[in-house]
Amino acid sequence: MRPRASLRCWALLAGTLWLASCGALVPGGSSGAAPGKASAPVGGQARPATRVTSAPQSYPASMEERSCLADLGASGARFERLPDTYAAPGCNKLGTVQLSALAGDRTTFGVSNLGPVRCAVAKVFGDWARYGVDRAAREILGSPIARIETMGSYACRKVAGTERLSAHARAEAIDVSGFVLADGRRIVLKRDWNGGDAATREFLRVVHKSACKRFGTVLGPEYNAAHEDHFHLEGTGPKFCR
């Protein structure tokens, strides 16, 4: 009987040791490593601990852009900052915003059909809309602006008749085609630059002159036939006004 008892004891002892050694192989089992620490060396190298971090957030790329966004917000404009994208060589939307409303002296007003615009151009556009357009509408036409109508902003294309990329390809230009007043009147450049009544013609020339003081390049109906139906408002650099 003693040999059989000895065999049972050795079997129990061996089973206990085997189960203990398997603890580190069972998923979720303890390997003796402290939480958040590197695991035990395997093959002479320690595996780094896995750290969970929050997703990176998008911030303006420069202090200049941050300052522009702050100024645009302080002006009363409503807008959304857009992600930077590249469409083709020379065509990009970097540091752009999507404007949804601009502020006048007394009320806010909308902007139609406008796409991404560089922040600096959007800021100049907002100032022109408030000080050059809304005030002129109230003083000359007796009604504030309700909406500025555009033909868009960003477009990956060349200047007509040339191989040079347009400022629209960098979201640095806006084409304005008309204005809607709070009293319901609608002013359209193609029809009213020469065909409107005296007050309407004066209003359009005043806002054109005001744009020339703020934007880098301003092209209107007197520049060429391609601009008979809109003001091309571009950038903030060297002045060219027609």
Side-chain angles (χ1 to χ4, degrees):
M1 297 298 292
R2 287 183 179 179
R4 291 183 180 179
S6 297
L7 288 174
R8 285 199 297 269
C9 289
W10 279 109
L12 289 171
L13 179 59
T16 301
L17 291 173
W18 183 84
L19 288 173
S21 67
C22 288
L25 302 177
V26 178
S30 173
S31 64
K37 301 294 184 179
S39 61
V42 177
Q45 294 183 348
R47 291 183 297 177
T50 301
R51 297 180 181 272
V52 179
T53 59
S54 59
Q57 298 184 26
S58 176
Y59 291 100
S62 66
M63 289 300 296
E64 181 180 1
E65 187 182 346
R66 295 188 190 194
S67 177
C68 179
L69 293 170
D71 290 344
L72 187 60
S75 74
R78 292 201 294 269
F79 64 93
E80 177 185 358
R81 184 175 182 269
L82 301 176
D84 292 345
T85 60
Y86 293 86
C91 294
N92 61 70
K93 292 173 278 185
L94 305 179
T96 61
V97 299
Q98 178 69 60
L99 289 169
S100 57
L102 298 170
D105 286 335
R106 302 173 184 173
T107 61
T108 59
F109 47 88
V111 183
S112 64
N113 198 41
L114 187 62
V117 182
R118 282 279 184 98
C119 181
V121 177
K123 177 62 171 62
V124 174
F125 183 67
D127 290 344
W128 172 71
R130 179 173 187 170
Y131 303 114
V133 178
D134 188 48
R135 289 183 180 181
R138 286 188 283 109
E139 293 174 6
I140 299 172
L141 302 175
S143 175
I145 288 290
R147 184 173 71 254
I148 295 179
E149 298 182 332
T150 83
M151 299 169 70
S153 50
Y154 173 78
C156 184
R157 62 178 175 81
K158 297 176 181 178
V159 176
T162 75
E163 292 300 310
R164 180 168 55 90
L165 280 172
S166 167
H168 287 288
R170 302 181 301 277
E172 292 179 341
I174 300 171
D175 289 340
V176 173
S177 58
F179 308 89
V180 177
L181 305 182
D183 64 10
R185 281 179 288 173
R186 183 169 178 259
I187 298 170
V188 181
L189 263 75
K190 186 172 183 178
R191 179 191 65 205
D192 296 323
W193 180 260
N194 291 316
D197 59 33
T200 299
R201 294 197 306 271
E202 179 187 0
F203 164 75
L204 289 175
R205 281 156 179 80
V206 166
V207 300
H208 177 268
K209 184 177 180 179
S210 175
C212 291
K213 295 178 180 179
R214 298 178 182 277
F215 293 92
T217 297
V218 177
L219 307 176
E222 294 184 358
Y223 178 59
N224 61 18
H227 293 81
E228 66 176 354
D229 59 355
H230 68 277
F231 293 143
H232 172 87
L233 311 177
E234 174 184 330
T236 59
K239 304 296 183 183
F240 182 83
C241 176
R242 290 286 298 275

